[in-house]
Amino acid sequence: MKVAFLVAPEGVEQVELTDPWQAVRDAGGTPRLVSTKPGRIQAFDHLDKADTFEVDQVVKDATVEEYDALVLPGGVANPDFLRLDGKAVAFAKGFFDAGKPVAAICHAPWTLVEADVVRGRTLTSWPSLRTDITNAGGTWVDEQVKVCTGGPNALITSRKPDDLKAFREAFLEEFAKTTKGSAR
């Protein structure tokens, strides 16, 4: 299982990157950090700078075909930067077009709203995204984790860092269903 973690050069909530990343590794998968610029990304612990992480691949050079699934970590600034980058939005949308699972936590669904892939889907997020999701044609629910299979792919969403345990369990289960029999 090869999983893309799409993040902006700065603004990702560190625990929403590192916890799912470790879960993929613990499950025997290969996580890869994909960003809009090469080098290192700056993670945050809420509004404070945290650690930096090496980018594995720039989104302009990435293809959906080389990955089994996508994780979109949150952080307020991270998805706001991503939704302004056409290649990042197209990359995220490509997983829906290809029927591959996507997991998004906290503010990350902003990127999905921009990609116009929440219409007809049920998802959760940080509460402040409720109106954006609803205006984009999605149904917002206040649940720890929501798995929506009512579309071309599995969409797994959670609200906040406190939901990480349920989030990683749900996305690993859905990713395993999709990648069963994969040669990766």
Side-chain angles (χ1 to χ4, degrees), residues 96 109 112 117-125 133 137-143 145-151 153-158:
F96 287 78
L112 302 179
V117 294
V118 302
R119 187 174 319 282
R121 305 302 294 268
T122 301
L123 60 156
T124 193
S125 67
I133 289 167
T139 300
W140 187 86
V141 294
D142 184 11
E143 296 177 13
V145 66
K146 179 64 184 174
V147 177
C148 178
T149 56
N153 65 335
L155 174 59
I156 306 94
T157 52
S158 281

Side-chain angles (χ1 to χ4, degrees), residues 95-106:
F95 283 83
F96 287 78
D97 295 343
K100 294 182 177 185
V102 173
I105 188 168
C106 202

